[in-house]
């Protein structure tokens, strides 16, 4: 990854990272799973490199992808088989 892409990704992470983490934490009730979902969201951003019409479209894309990643985690067989340690 070149420096331009790293800078762009860092800007997006600074702008949306905390918001996406809070969303995923509420949906998944687990810090580790929320971190994984946010990481997968930014991987999707790097893979697809979507073009956005405006800032609202960009924000909506990140929120939708993060929500979908949370739903994917909740549907996974691993999620259904796991037990809490408490």
């Amino acid at each position: 990854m070149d420096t331009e892409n790293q800078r762009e990704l860092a800007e997006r992470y600074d702008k949306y990272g905390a918001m996406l983490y809070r969303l995923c934490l509420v949906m998944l009730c687990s810090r580790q799973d929320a971190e994984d979902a946010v990481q997968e969201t930014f991987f999707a951003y790097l893979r697809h490199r979507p073009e956005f019409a405006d800032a609202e479209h960009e924000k909506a894309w990140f929120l939708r992808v993060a929500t979908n990643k949370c739903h994917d985690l909740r549907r996974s067989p691993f999620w259904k088989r796991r037990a809490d340690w408490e």
Side-chain angles (χ1 to χ4, degrees), residues 22-76:
R22 286 190 305 270
L23 171 70
C24 294
L25 185 60
V26 167
M27 292 183 73
L28 298 171
C29 301
S30 166
R31 289 183 316 201
Q32 293 84 6
D33 290 337
E35 290 169 358
D36 289 345
V38 172
Q39 183 177 15
E40 287 296 322
T41 300
F42 282 98
F43 281 155
Y45 173 73
L46 287 175
R47 270 193 307 269
H48 300 292
R49 292 291 190 183
E51 294 291 326
F52 302 112
D54 56 14
E56 286 298 314
H57 179 225
E58 180 180 65
K59 181 179 178 181
W61 185 90
F62 275 101
L63 288 171
R64 173 51 50 198
V65 172
T67 301
N68 288 343
K69 296 297 179 186
C70 291
H71 288 306
D72 291 346
L73 273 173
R74 300 276 319 240
R75 284 189 212 115
S76 73

Side-chain angles (χ1 to χ4, degrees), residues 12-24 38 42:
R12 297 300 186 280
Y13 187 81
D14 290 343
K15 189 173 184 180
Y16 299 114
M19 175 184 60
L20 295 176
Y21 176 74
R22 286 190 305 270
L23 171 70
C24 294
V38 172
F42 282 98

